[in-house]
Amino acid sequence: MFILGTETVRFFQLSGVSVWDFLTGTKWTPTFADAHFGILPLVAGTALITVGAAVIALPLGLAAAVFLSEYADPRLRRILKPVLEVLAGVPTVVYGFFALLHITPLLRSIFPDVQVFNAASGAIVVGVMILPLVTSLCDDALNAVPRALREGGLAMGSTSYEVTRQIVIPAGLSGIMAAFILAVSRAVGETMAVTLAAGSTPKLTWNPTESIQTMTAYIVQISKGDTPAGSREYLTLFAVGAVLFAITFGLNILAKVLVKRYRMVYS
Amino acid sequence: MAFAATGPLGRRRKLADTVFRVVCFAAVLVACAFLAYLLISIVRDGIGRIRPDFFTSFSSRRPEEAGIRASIFGTLWVIGLTAAVAVPVGVAAAIYLEEFSPKNNRWVSMIQLNINNLAGVPSIIYGLLGLAVFVRFFALERSVIAGALTMSLLILPTIIVVSQEAIRAVPSSFRDGALALGATPWQTMRTQTLRIAVPGIITAIILSLSRAIGETAPLITIGAVTFIAAVPDGIMSKFTVLPIQIFDWTSRPQPGFHTAAAAAIICLMVVLLLLNLAAIVIRARTQQRI
């Protein structure tokens, strides 16, 4: 953390870029002769991927968790849980390979104007990648809801759907929100899949068919080349890393606060 | 009557219940189907490429001759060294935090909070840290040891947290029994607590090492090279690892390299699945015993 901080400060000192320009600039061309250091395009790229992934993973993950905790047979559960864990352990570079060579051609056959590198394909695989995490954490949150609450609802003649929607999910809501936030934070920090699938053109766009660049992909792009220590490119790595760290750290803290509040209710 | 099970309203409630159940089940099916598609298509892409010479030859400019020898040995070196560094440190830290640290101490709880937070930091941030500290500051250059130390940092929080849980799960009656018989805290730790917590700790080690095997981003950041035609011969030599080789081959335009990447993915996945299976078996056996 300390290292990240000092190198970031050195970046601002050395490059003569003000913090304000860095955070609000809309042009990111650090390696060009006419260098601009506005991080917004990278942040927007990351946001595009994250939002897309969240749209896929959060509803699916919650529904799967509801199935696991409310409907599934204990035997089926014993099979599905380890499967989820194994899926969570698939290396991200594998998802990147899959996105570039299978999802993208599929998207291009449906929508011809999709570029070879595009945000949509990256968002889809990141969504699938965080799905096991969402399911597993939501499942834990739902399981922590006391049985008595469910039985009370069922005894009043409610159907399982009504019990789930009106009792179990509200009772486990802070745990579910925490799961969502942790998953989003994973998606923000995700590197290899988006580097392979989404391309490396920092661009301020909301169009998922275009090629973009995320903060993580930028770090990979620069560090693949041999950057001399102390050079401007080298220092931008740390400035971008600091922003990335701040975002994920903030999200994780938020999740922790929610879980803490949630624990106080039932202990 | 809102609660009647018959009549049009009741039927609608029943229908909603059925629809909801089907939707939830469909979510599980969609997830499983996608992952089956992923695995099947990768196996189909790569299985024909797995021949003996794939394992014994180095990467090449010609896709048909490219092999994973350098990356297999690179992975073995990095993971071996990572385990050598992270396992003793991580387990010792877990034992200290769980058994010997002063309770209700501000520093201890601050360290604990920090470790928990570190587990959620994106891996590429660890890569930047490794770049600044090991590669530049300690001037280890882009070597195996720099990669292994970075990986150790990455998996240490996981090892510590999961090992702590394993130690915490040991019933305190075991400890109290040993202490009552006059054993020192250290003897209690060694002969009772650790012995029971070992399967949990091993699971923690296996899972975090398998995560390290699949990690790409931090090693790219510290500058593992993608094209190398030699097996590492010491801790200071340059290296590449399987995921980086996969990344490199995937990002090339020639389809031949994509096939090679798929074949390398199959090798990587087989190793990871075996490790995960080992962890699941160990856990299942301990659950039976207690």
Side-chain angles (χ1 to χ4, degrees), chain A residues 3 63 67 71 85-87 91 97-98 101-102 128 131 157 160-162 191-192 223 226-227 229 234 237-238 241 248 252 256, chain B residues 13 17 20 24-25 28 31 34-35 38 41 45 117 120 122 124-125 128 132 136 142 214 216 221 247 250 258 265 272-273 283:
Chain A
I3 301 270
F67 178 78
Y71 291 113
E85 277 167 36
V86 171
L87 294 178
F97 173 89
F98 186 67
L101 298 175
H102 290 277
V128 173
L131 186 61
S160 312
Y161 165 61
E162 288 158 351
T191 311
M192 300 319 296
S223 45
D226 198 359
T227 43
Y234 176 77
L237 289 181
F238 291 89
T248 52
N252 292 347
K256 220 147 252 171
Chain B
R13 290 174 55 216
D17 188 42
F20 184 62
C24 288
F25 185 59
V28 176
F34 194 96
L35 289 149
L38 186 151
S41 56
D45 285 355
N117 281 335
I124 196 158
I125 303 280
L128 289 179
R136 307 286 188 212
R142 295 150 187 280
T216 325
T221 319
F247 171 67
T250 306
H258 298 164
I265 288 177
L272 291 181
L273 284 177
R283 200 164 32 181

Short mmCIF file of all heavy atoms in Angstrom, two decimals, chain A residues 3 63 67 71 85-87 91 97-98 101-102 128 131 157 160-162 191-192 223 226-227 229 234 237-238 241 248 252 256, chain B residues 13 17 20 24-25 28 31 34-35 38 41 45 117 120 122 124-125 128 132 136 142 214 216 221 247 250 258 265 272-273 283:
data_model
loop_
_atom_site.label_atom_id
_atom_site.label_comp_id
_atom_site.label_asym_id
_atom_site.label_seq_id
_atom_site.Cartn_x
_atom_site.Cartn_y
_atom_site.Cartn_z
N ILE A 3 4.01 1.43 -0.97
CA ILE A 3 4.71 1.51 -2.25
C ILE A 3 3.81 2.16 -3.30
O ILE A 3 4.21 3.08 -4.02
CB ILE A 3 5.07 0.09 -2.75
CG1 ILE A 3 5.94 -0.61 -1.74
CG2 ILE A 3 5.68 0.15 -4.13
CD1 ILE A 3 7.39 -0.40 -1.93
N ALA A 63 -30.62 -16.40 -8.22
CA ALA A 63 -31.61 -17.44 -8.50
C ALA A 63 -31.03 -18.83 -8.24
O ALA A 63 -31.68 -19.69 -7.63
CB ALA A 63 -32.09 -17.33 -9.94
N PHE A 67 -32.24 -21.59 -5.50
CA PHE A 67 -32.50 -22.99 -5.82
C PHE A 67 -31.72 -23.89 -4.88
O PHE A 67 -32.26 -24.84 -4.30
CB PHE A 67 -32.12 -23.30 -7.27
CG PHE A 67 -32.34 -24.73 -7.63
CD1 PHE A 67 -33.61 -25.20 -7.91
CD2 PHE A 67 -31.28 -25.62 -7.66
CE1 PHE A 67 -33.83 -26.54 -8.21
CE2 PHE A 67 -31.50 -26.96 -7.95
CZ PHE A 67 -32.77 -27.42 -8.23
N TYR A 71 -34.71 -25.03 -2.58
CA TYR A 71 -35.40 -26.10 -3.30
C TYR A 71 -34.61 -27.39 -3.42
O TYR A 71 -35.18 -28.47 -3.46
CB TYR A 71 -35.77 -25.62 -4.71
CG TYR A 71 -36.84 -24.56 -4.73
CD1 TYR A 71 -36.56 -23.27 -5.15
CD2 TYR A 71 -38.12 -24.86 -4.32
CE1 TYR A 71 -37.54 -22.30 -5.17
CE2 TYR A 71 -39.11 -23.90 -4.33
CZ TYR A 71 -38.81 -22.62 -4.75
OH TYR A 71 -39.79 -21.66 -4.77
N GLU A 85 -17.30 -24.82 -6.46
CA GLU A 85 -15.97 -24.45 -5.98
C GLU A 85 -14.92 -24.68 -7.06
O GLU A 85 -14.00 -23.88 -7.24
CB GLU A 85 -15.62 -25.24 -4.73
CG GLU A 85 -16.19 -24.63 -3.48
CD GLU A 85 -16.12 -25.57 -2.30
OE1 GLU A 85 -15.15 -26.34 -2.20
OE2 GLU A 85 -17.07 -25.57 -1.49
N VAL A 86 -15.07 -25.79 -7.78
CA VAL A 86 -14.12 -26.08 -8.84
C VAL A 86 -14.22 -25.01 -9.92
O VAL A 86 -13.22 -24.50 -10.41
CB VAL A 86 -14.39 -27.47 -9.45
CG1 VAL A 86 -13.55 -27.67 -10.70
CG2 VAL A 86 -14.09 -28.54 -8.43
N LEU A 87 -15.45 -24.62 -10.27
CA LEU A 87 -15.64 -23.61 -11.29
C LEU A 87 -15.02 -22.29 -10.87
O LEU A 87 -14.43 -21.58 -11.67
CB LEU A 87 -17.13 -23.39 -11.55
CG LEU A 87 -17.79 -24.61 -12.16
CD1 LEU A 87 -19.25 -24.35 -12.33
CD2 LEU A 87 -17.13 -24.94 -13.47
N PRO A 91 -8.81 -20.95 -13.95
CA PRO A 91 -7.96 -19.76 -14.12
C PRO A 91 -8.59 -18.76 -15.08
O PRO A 91 -9.26 -19.14 -16.04
CB PRO A 91 -6.68 -20.33 -14.73
CG PRO A 91 -6.70 -21.77 -14.45
CD PRO A 91 -8.12 -22.18 -14.36
N PHE A 97 -9.35 -17.02 -23.07
CA PHE A 97 -9.25 -17.84 -24.27
C PHE A 97 -10.64 -18.12 -24.83
O PHE A 97 -10.91 -17.94 -26.01
CB PHE A 97 -8.55 -19.15 -23.91
CG PHE A 97 -8.52 -20.17 -25.02
CD1 PHE A 97 -7.49 -20.19 -25.95
CD2 PHE A 97 -9.51 -21.13 -25.12
CE1 PHE A 97 -7.46 -21.13 -26.95
CE2 PHE A 97 -9.49 -22.08 -26.14
CZ PHE A 97 -8.46 -22.07 -27.06
N PHE A 98 -11.53 -18.53 -23.93
CA PHE A 98 -12.89 -18.89 -24.32
C PHE A 98 -13.63 -17.68 -24.90
O PHE A 98 -14.31 -17.77 -25.92
CB PHE A 98 -13.62 -19.43 -23.10
CG PHE A 98 -14.97 -19.97 -23.40
CD1 PHE A 98 -15.12 -21.11 -24.15
CD2 PHE A 98 -16.10 -19.33 -22.92
CE1 PHE A 98 -16.36 -21.61 -24.44
CE2 PHE A 98 -17.35 -19.83 -23.19
CZ PHE A 98 -17.49 -20.98 -23.95
N LEU A 101 -12.08 -16.75 -28.47
CA LEU A 101 -12.17 -17.72 -29.56
C LEU A 101 -13.54 -18.38 -29.69
O LEU A 101 -13.79 -19.07 -30.66
CB LEU A 101 -11.09 -18.79 -29.39
CG LEU A 101 -9.68 -18.21 -29.45
CD1 LEU A 101 -8.64 -19.26 -29.16
CD2 LEU A 101 -9.43 -17.57 -30.80
N HIS A 102 -14.41 -18.20 -28.71
CA HIS A 102 -15.73 -18.81 -28.84
C HIS A 102 -16.87 -17.81 -28.72
O HIS A 102 -17.78 -17.79 -29.54
CB HIS A 102 -15.90 -19.95 -27.83
CG HIS A 102 -15.04 -21.13 -28.18
ND1 HIS A 102 -15.42 -22.08 -29.08
CD2 HIS A 102 -13.81 -21.47 -27.77
CE1 HIS A 102 -14.45 -22.97 -29.21
NE2 HIS A 102 -13.46 -22.63 -28.42
N VAL A 128 -19.80 -14.78 -16.15
CA VAL A 128 -19.80 -16.21 -15.86
C VAL A 128 -18.75 -16.53 -14.80
O VAL A 128 -18.96 -17.36 -13.92
CB VAL A 128 -19.52 -17.01 -17.14
CG1 VAL A 128 -19.35 -18.48 -16.83
CG2 VAL A 128 -20.65 -16.81 -18.12
N LEU A 131 -20.01 -15.69 -11.40
CA LEU A 131 -21.26 -16.38 -11.05
C LEU A 131 -21.11 -17.36 -9.87
O LEU A 131 -21.90 -17.31 -8.93
CB LEU A 131 -21.80 -17.08 -12.30
CG LEU A 131 -23.15 -17.74 -12.21
CD1 LEU A 131 -24.21 -16.71 -11.88
CD2 LEU A 131 -23.50 -18.42 -13.54
N GLY A 157 -49.52 -20.55 5.52
CA GLY A 157 -50.13 -20.94 4.25
C GLY A 157 -49.47 -20.32 3.04
O GLY A 157 -50.01 -20.40 1.95
N SER A 160 -43.80 -21.51 -1.24
CA SER A 160 -42.35 -21.33 -1.08
C SER A 160 -41.89 -20.05 -1.74
O SER A 160 -40.99 -19.38 -1.25
CB SER A 160 -41.59 -22.47 -1.74
OG SER A 160 -42.11 -23.69 -1.38
N TYR A 161 -42.49 -19.70 -2.88
CA TYR A 161 -42.11 -18.49 -3.57
C TYR A 161 -42.36 -17.28 -2.69
O TYR A 161 -41.52 -16.39 -2.56
CB TYR A 161 -42.89 -18.37 -4.89
CG TYR A 161 -42.84 -17.00 -5.50
CD1 TYR A 161 -41.64 -16.44 -5.90
CD2 TYR A 161 -44.01 -16.28 -5.69
CE1 TYR A 161 -41.60 -15.18 -6.46
CE2 TYR A 161 -43.98 -15.02 -6.26
CZ TYR A 161 -42.77 -14.47 -6.64
OH TYR A 161 -42.73 -13.23 -7.18
N GLU A 162 -43.54 -17.24 -2.06
CA GLU A 162 -43.86 -16.10 -1.20
C GLU A 162 -42.93 -16.04 0.00
O GLU A 162 -42.49 -14.96 0.40
CB GLU A 162 -45.33 -16.19 -0.75
CG GLU A 162 -46.29 -15.90 -1.89
CD GLU A 162 -47.69 -16.47 -1.67
OE1 GLU A 162 -47.88 -17.25 -0.72
OE2 GLU A 162 -48.56 -16.15 -2.47
N THR A 191 -8.47 -9.37 -14.63
CA THR A 191 -7.45 -8.90 -15.55
C THR A 191 -7.38 -9.66 -16.87
O THR A 191 -7.58 -9.09 -17.94
CB THR A 191 -6.06 -8.98 -14.89
OG1 THR A 191 -6.15 -8.38 -13.61
CG2 THR A 191 -5.04 -8.31 -15.73
N MET A 192 -7.08 -10.93 -16.80
CA MET A 192 -6.67 -11.63 -18.02
C MET A 192 -7.80 -11.75 -19.02
O MET A 192 -7.59 -11.56 -20.21
CB MET A 192 -6.12 -13.02 -17.67
CG MET A 192 -4.92 -13.01 -16.77
SD MET A 192 -3.73 -11.72 -17.16
CE MET A 192 -3.22 -12.24 -18.78
N SER A 223 3.18 -3.44 -18.87
CA SER A 223 4.24 -4.24 -18.24
C SER A 223 4.69 -5.39 -19.13
O SER A 223 5.69 -6.02 -18.82
CB SER A 223 3.82 -4.72 -16.85
OG SER A 223 2.53 -5.21 -16.87
N ASP A 226 9.23 -3.82 -21.86
CA ASP A 226 10.20 -3.62 -20.79
C ASP A 226 10.25 -2.14 -20.44
O ASP A 226 10.86 -1.35 -21.14
CB ASP A 226 11.57 -4.10 -21.27
CG ASP A 226 12.49 -4.32 -20.09
OD1 ASP A 226 12.05 -4.08 -18.95
OD2 ASP A 226 13.64 -4.74 -20.30
N THR A 227 9.56 -1.76 -19.35
CA THR A 227 9.54 -0.36 -18.98
C THR A 227 10.63 -0.07 -17.97
O THR A 227 10.70 -0.71 -16.93
CB THR A 227 8.20 0.04 -18.35
OG1 THR A 227 7.85 -1.01 -17.45
CG2 THR A 227 7.14 0.23 -19.37
N ALA A 229 12.59 1.46 -14.93
CA ALA A 229 12.10 1.98 -13.65
C ALA A 229 12.19 3.50 -13.64
O ALA A 229 13.15 4.07 -14.15
CB ALA A 229 12.93 1.40 -12.50
N TYR A 234 6.25 3.65 -16.48
CA TYR A 234 6.38 2.84 -15.27
C TYR A 234 5.56 3.46 -14.14
O TYR A 234 4.85 2.77 -13.42
CB TYR A 234 7.86 2.76 -14.89
CG TYR A 234 8.16 2.04 -13.61
CD1 TYR A 234 8.12 0.65 -13.55
CD2 TYR A 234 8.48 2.75 -12.45
CE1 TYR A 234 8.41 -0.01 -12.37
CE2 TYR A 234 8.77 2.09 -11.27
CZ TYR A 234 8.73 0.71 -11.24
OH TYR A 234 9.01 0.06 -10.07
N LEU A 237 1.74 3.06 -14.27
CA LEU A 237 1.26 1.77 -13.77
C LEU A 237 0.76 1.92 -12.34
O LEU A 237 -0.30 1.42 -11.97
CB LEU A 237 2.38 0.74 -13.77
CG LEU A 237 2.88 0.20 -15.10
CD1 LEU A 237 3.96 -0.83 -14.85
CD2 LEU A 237 1.73 -0.42 -15.85
N PHE A 238 1.57 2.61 -11.54
CA PHE A 238 1.23 2.70 -10.13
C PHE A 238 0.08 3.66 -9.88
O PHE A 238 -0.73 3.44 -8.99
CB PHE A 238 2.47 3.09 -9.32
CG PHE A 238 3.47 1.98 -9.30
CD1 PHE A 238 4.43 1.88 -10.28
CD2 PHE A 238 3.40 1.00 -8.33
CE1 PHE A 238 5.32 0.83 -10.29
CE2 PHE A 238 4.29 -0.05 -8.33
CZ PHE A 238 5.25 -0.14 -9.32
N GLY A 241 -2.85 1.65 -10.84
CA GLY A 241 -3.01 0.64 -9.80
C GLY A 241 -3.61 1.23 -8.54
O GLY A 241 -4.45 0.61 -7.89
N THR A 248 -11.51 -1.11 -5.42
CA THR A 248 -11.82 -2.43 -4.87
C THR A 248 -11.79 -2.41 -3.35
O THR A 248 -12.62 -3.04 -2.70
CB THR A 248 -10.83 -3.49 -5.38
OG1 THR A 248 -9.52 -3.02 -5.14
CG2 THR A 248 -11.01 -3.75 -6.84
N ASN A 252 -14.79 -3.53 -0.91
CA ASN A 252 -14.65 -4.59 0.09
C ASN A 252 -15.03 -4.11 1.48
O ASN A 252 -15.67 -4.83 2.24
CB ASN A 252 -13.22 -5.13 0.10
CG ASN A 252 -12.89 -5.87 -1.17
OD1 ASN A 252 -13.79 -6.18 -1.96
ND2 ASN A 252 -11.64 -6.15 -1.39
N LYS A 256 -17.99 -5.46 3.95
CA LYS A 256 -17.74 -5.86 5.32
C LYS A 256 -18.70 -5.19 6.29
O LYS A 256 -19.21 -5.80 7.22
CB LYS A 256 -16.29 -5.51 5.68
CG LYS A 256 -15.66 -6.60 6.49
CD LYS A 256 -14.20 -6.73 6.20
CE LYS A 256 -13.97 -8.00 5.43
NZ LYS A 256 -12.61 -8.10 4.95
N ARG B 13 -51.36 -18.04 -7.24
CA ARG B 13 -50.23 -18.14 -6.31
C ARG B 13 -49.45 -19.43 -6.53
O ARG B 13 -48.23 -19.45 -6.48
CB ARG B 13 -50.74 -18.08 -4.87
CG ARG B 13 -51.26 -16.70 -4.50
CD ARG B 13 -51.88 -16.72 -3.13
NE ARG B 13 -50.98 -17.23 -2.12
CZ ARG B 13 -51.36 -17.98 -1.09
NH1 ARG B 13 -52.62 -18.29 -0.93
NH2 ARG B 13 -50.48 -18.39 -0.22
N ASP B 17 -45.56 -19.83 -7.79
CA ASP B 17 -44.61 -20.68 -7.07
C ASP B 17 -43.89 -21.61 -8.04
O ASP B 17 -42.66 -21.73 -8.00
CB ASP B 17 -45.36 -21.48 -6.00
CG ASP B 17 -44.40 -22.21 -5.09
OD1 ASP B 17 -43.38 -21.61 -4.71
OD2 ASP B 17 -44.66 -23.39 -4.80
N PHE B 20 -41.52 -19.73 -10.34
CA PHE B 20 -40.32 -19.30 -9.62
C PHE B 20 -39.34 -20.47 -9.47
O PHE B 20 -38.15 -20.34 -9.71
CB PHE B 20 -40.73 -18.76 -8.26
CG PHE B 20 -39.58 -18.21 -7.47
CD1 PHE B 20 -38.87 -17.12 -7.94
CD2 PHE B 20 -39.22 -18.78 -6.27
CE1 PHE B 20 -37.82 -16.61 -7.23
CE2 PHE B 20 -38.15 -18.27 -5.54
CZ PHE B 20 -37.46 -17.18 -6.02
N CYS B 24 -35.56 -20.60 -11.01
CA CYS B 24 -34.36 -20.82 -10.20
C CYS B 24 -33.58 -22.03 -10.70
O CYS B 24 -32.35 -22.01 -10.78
CB CYS B 24 -34.74 -21.03 -8.73
SG CYS B 24 -35.29 -19.52 -7.95
N PHE B 25 -34.31 -23.08 -11.05
CA PHE B 25 -33.64 -24.27 -11.55
C PHE B 25 -32.96 -23.96 -12.88
O PHE B 25 -31.84 -24.40 -13.14
CB PHE B 25 -34.64 -25.41 -11.70
CG PHE B 25 -34.01 -26.70 -12.11
CD1 PHE B 25 -33.03 -27.29 -11.32
CD2 PHE B 25 -34.38 -27.33 -13.29
CE1 PHE B 25 -32.42 -28.47 -11.70
CE2 PHE B 25 -33.78 -28.52 -13.67
CZ PHE B 25 -32.80 -29.09 -12.87
N VAL B 28 -29.56 -22.45 -12.51
CA VAL B 28 -28.51 -23.43 -12.27
C VAL B 28 -28.14 -24.12 -13.58
O VAL B 28 -26.96 -24.31 -13.89
CB VAL B 28 -28.98 -24.47 -11.23
CG1 VAL B 28 -27.93 -25.55 -11.06
CG2 VAL B 28 -29.26 -23.80 -9.91
N ALA B 31 -26.03 -21.91 -15.91
CA ALA B 31 -24.65 -21.84 -15.46
C ALA B 31 -23.91 -23.13 -15.81
O ALA B 31 -22.80 -23.10 -16.36
CB ALA B 31 -24.60 -21.59 -13.95
N PHE B 34 -23.34 -23.46 -19.62
CA PHE B 34 -22.27 -22.59 -20.11
C PHE B 34 -20.91 -23.21 -19.81
O PHE B 34 -20.02 -23.23 -20.66
CB PHE B 34 -22.38 -21.22 -19.46
CG PHE B 34 -21.54 -20.18 -20.13
CD1 PHE B 34 -22.10 -19.34 -21.07
CD2 PHE B 34 -20.20 -20.05 -19.83
CE1 PHE B 34 -21.34 -18.39 -21.71
CE2 PHE B 34 -19.43 -19.10 -20.46
CZ PHE B 34 -20.00 -18.27 -21.40
N LEU B 35 -20.79 -23.72 -18.60
CA LEU B 35 -19.49 -24.26 -18.22
C LEU B 35 -19.19 -25.55 -18.95
O LEU B 35 -18.04 -25.81 -19.33
CB LEU B 35 -19.45 -24.41 -16.72
CG LEU B 35 -19.38 -22.98 -16.19
CD1 LEU B 35 -20.06 -22.83 -14.87
CD2 LEU B 35 -17.95 -22.51 -16.14
N LEU B 38 -18.01 -24.50 -22.26
CA LEU B 38 -16.63 -24.03 -22.15
C LEU B 38 -15.65 -25.20 -22.16
O LEU B 38 -14.72 -25.25 -22.95
CB LEU B 38 -16.48 -23.22 -20.85
CG LEU B 38 -15.17 -22.49 -20.55
CD1 LEU B 38 -15.48 -21.27 -19.69
CD2 LEU B 38 -14.18 -23.34 -19.83
N SER B 41 -15.73 -27.29 -25.53
CA SER B 41 -15.14 -26.66 -26.70
C SER B 41 -13.62 -26.57 -26.56
O SER B 41 -12.90 -26.71 -27.54
CB SER B 41 -15.75 -25.29 -26.95
OG SER B 41 -15.62 -24.49 -25.82
N ASP B 45 -10.99 -28.31 -29.05
CA ASP B 45 -9.95 -27.54 -29.72
C ASP B 45 -8.57 -28.16 -29.54
O ASP B 45 -7.77 -28.15 -30.46
CB ASP B 45 -9.89 -26.10 -29.14
CG ASP B 45 -11.04 -25.26 -29.64
OD1 ASP B 45 -11.80 -25.77 -30.47
OD2 ASP B 45 -11.17 -24.11 -29.18
N ASN B 117 -8.61 -7.93 4.66
CA ASN B 117 -8.77 -7.02 3.53
C ASN B 117 -7.87 -7.39 2.37
O ASN B 117 -8.25 -7.29 1.21
CB ASN B 117 -8.50 -5.59 3.95
CG ASN B 117 -9.69 -4.99 4.67
OD1 ASN B 117 -10.81 -5.43 4.46
ND2 ASN B 117 -9.43 -4.03 5.53
N GLY B 120 -8.91 -9.62 -0.47
CA GLY B 120 -9.81 -9.14 -1.51
C GLY B 120 -9.16 -8.22 -2.53
O GLY B 120 -9.84 -7.72 -3.42
N PRO B 122 -7.20 -7.16 -5.80
CA PRO B 122 -6.99 -7.81 -7.10
C PRO B 122 -5.54 -8.28 -7.26
O PRO B 122 -4.62 -7.60 -6.79
CB PRO B 122 -7.29 -6.71 -8.11
CG PRO B 122 -8.06 -5.69 -7.39
CD PRO B 122 -7.70 -5.80 -5.96
N ILE B 124 -3.57 -8.30 -9.67
CA ILE B 124 -2.63 -7.49 -10.45
C ILE B 124 -1.96 -6.42 -9.59
O ILE B 124 -0.82 -6.00 -9.85
CB ILE B 124 -3.33 -6.86 -11.67
CG1 ILE B 124 -2.30 -6.36 -12.67
CG2 ILE B 124 -4.30 -5.76 -11.26
CD1 ILE B 124 -2.82 -6.20 -14.06
N ILE B 125 -2.64 -6.02 -8.51
CA ILE B 125 -2.03 -5.08 -7.57
C ILE B 125 -0.81 -5.72 -6.90
O ILE B 125 0.23 -5.07 -6.70
CB ILE B 125 -3.05 -4.64 -6.50
CG1 ILE B 125 -4.29 -4.02 -7.15
CG2 ILE B 125 -2.43 -3.68 -5.50
CD1 ILE B 125 -4.13 -2.61 -7.58
N LEU B 128 2.03 -5.39 -9.20
CA LEU B 128 2.68 -4.07 -9.15
C LEU B 128 3.60 -3.97 -7.94
O LEU B 128 4.71 -3.46 -8.02
CB LEU B 128 1.63 -2.96 -9.10
CG LEU B 128 0.84 -2.73 -10.37
CD1 LEU B 128 -0.18 -1.62 -10.16
CD2 LEU B 128 1.77 -2.35 -11.51
N ALA B 132 7.66 -3.36 -7.90
CA ALA B 132 8.36 -2.28 -7.22
C ALA B 132 9.32 -2.81 -6.16
O ALA B 132 10.44 -2.31 -6.04
CB ALA B 132 7.35 -1.33 -6.58
N ARG B 136 12.54 -4.34 -8.61
CA ARG B 136 13.34 -3.11 -8.63
C ARG B 136 14.15 -2.91 -7.35
O ARG B 136 15.35 -2.84 -7.37
CB ARG B 136 12.44 -1.89 -8.84
CG ARG B 136 11.56 -1.97 -10.03
CD ARG B 136 12.33 -1.78 -11.32
NE ARG B 136 11.42 -1.70 -12.43
CZ ARG B 136 11.69 -2.13 -13.66
NH1 ARG B 136 12.85 -2.70 -13.91
NH2 ARG B 136 10.80 -2.01 -14.61
N ARG B 142 13.87 -10.02 -13.39
CA ARG B 142 12.67 -10.78 -13.73
C ARG B 142 12.93 -12.27 -13.52
O ARG B 142 12.90 -13.05 -14.44
CB ARG B 142 12.31 -10.50 -15.19
CG ARG B 142 11.93 -9.04 -15.34
CD ARG B 142 12.24 -8.49 -16.69
NE ARG B 142 12.00 -7.06 -16.67
CZ ARG B 142 10.80 -6.53 -16.78
NH1 ARG B 142 9.75 -7.28 -16.94
NH2 ARG B 142 10.64 -5.22 -16.73
N GLY B 214 -2.83 -21.08 -11.35
CA GLY B 214 -3.63 -20.50 -12.42
C GLY B 214 -3.46 -19.00 -12.60
O GLY B 214 -3.99 -18.44 -13.54
N THR B 216 -2.10 -15.47 -13.62
CA THR B 216 -1.29 -14.98 -14.72
C THR B 216 -0.85 -13.54 -14.47
O THR B 216 0.32 -13.20 -14.62
CB THR B 216 -2.11 -14.97 -16.02
OG1 THR B 216 -2.96 -16.09 -16.00
CG2 THR B 216 -1.21 -15.03 -17.21
N THR B 221 2.98 -8.78 -14.82
CA THR B 221 3.37 -7.46 -14.34
C THR B 221 4.83 -7.43 -13.92
O THR B 221 5.54 -6.48 -14.21
CB THR B 221 2.50 -7.04 -13.15
OG1 THR B 221 1.18 -7.42 -13.44
CG2 THR B 221 2.57 -5.57 -12.91
N PHE B 247 -1.70 -17.39 -22.38
CA PHE B 247 -2.04 -16.01 -22.71
C PHE B 247 -1.35 -15.58 -24.00
O PHE B 247 -1.96 -15.02 -24.91
CB PHE B 247 -1.64 -15.09 -21.55
CG PHE B 247 -1.76 -13.63 -21.85
CD1 PHE B 247 -2.99 -13.06 -22.06
CD2 PHE B 247 -0.63 -12.84 -21.92
CE1 PHE B 247 -3.11 -11.71 -22.33
CE2 PHE B 247 -0.73 -11.49 -22.20
CZ PHE B 247 -1.97 -10.93 -22.41
N THR B 250 -2.74 -17.44 -27.03
CA THR B 250 -4.10 -17.00 -27.36
C THR B 250 -4.09 -15.66 -28.08
O THR B 250 -4.88 -15.42 -28.99
CB THR B 250 -4.94 -16.88 -26.07
OG1 THR B 250 -4.86 -18.11 -25.37
CG2 THR B 250 -6.40 -16.58 -26.40
N HIS B 258 -3.63 -21.12 -31.32
CA HIS B 258 -4.84 -21.25 -30.50
C HIS B 258 -5.05 -22.71 -30.11
O HIS B 258 -5.43 -23.01 -28.98
CB HIS B 258 -6.06 -20.71 -31.25
CG HIS B 258 -5.95 -19.25 -31.55
ND1 HIS B 258 -6.74 -18.62 -32.46
CD2 HIS B 258 -5.12 -18.30 -31.05
CE1 HIS B 258 -6.41 -17.34 -32.52
NE2 HIS B 258 -5.43 -17.13 -31.67
N ILE B 265 -4.24 -25.44 -21.99
CA ILE B 265 -5.31 -25.25 -21.01
C ILE B 265 -5.77 -26.60 -20.46
O ILE B 265 -6.00 -26.74 -19.25
CB ILE B 265 -6.50 -24.50 -21.65
CG1 ILE B 265 -6.14 -23.04 -21.88
CG2 ILE B 265 -7.74 -24.58 -20.76
CD1 ILE B 265 -7.24 -22.24 -22.58
N LEU B 272 -5.27 -28.73 -12.04
CA LEU B 272 -6.09 -28.01 -11.06
C LEU B 272 -7.23 -28.88 -10.55
O LEU B 272 -7.53 -28.89 -9.35
CB LEU B 272 -6.65 -26.73 -11.67
CG LEU B 272 -5.61 -25.65 -11.96
CD1 LEU B 272 -6.28 -24.43 -12.55
CD2 LEU B 272 -4.88 -25.28 -10.69
N LEU B 273 -7.87 -29.63 -11.45
CA LEU B 273 -8.97 -30.48 -11.02
C LEU B 273 -8.48 -31.54 -10.05
O LEU B 273 -9.13 -31.83 -9.04
CB LEU B 273 -9.65 -31.14 -12.23
CG LEU B 273 -10.56 -30.22 -13.03
CD1 LEU B 273 -11.12 -30.96 -14.24
CD2 LEU B 273 -11.71 -29.73 -12.16
N ARG B 283 -11.17 -33.14 2.83
CA ARG B 283 -12.18 -32.51 3.68
C ARG B 283 -13.28 -33.51 4.04
O ARG B 283 -13.72 -33.59 5.16
CB ARG B 283 -12.77 -31.31 2.97
CG ARG B 283 -13.44 -30.36 3.92
CD ARG B 283 -13.67 -29.05 3.29
NE ARG B 283 -13.91 -29.24 1.85
CZ ARG B 283 -14.12 -28.25 1.02
NH1 ARG B 283 -14.08 -27.02 1.45
NH2 ARG B 283 -14.33 -28.46 -0.26
#
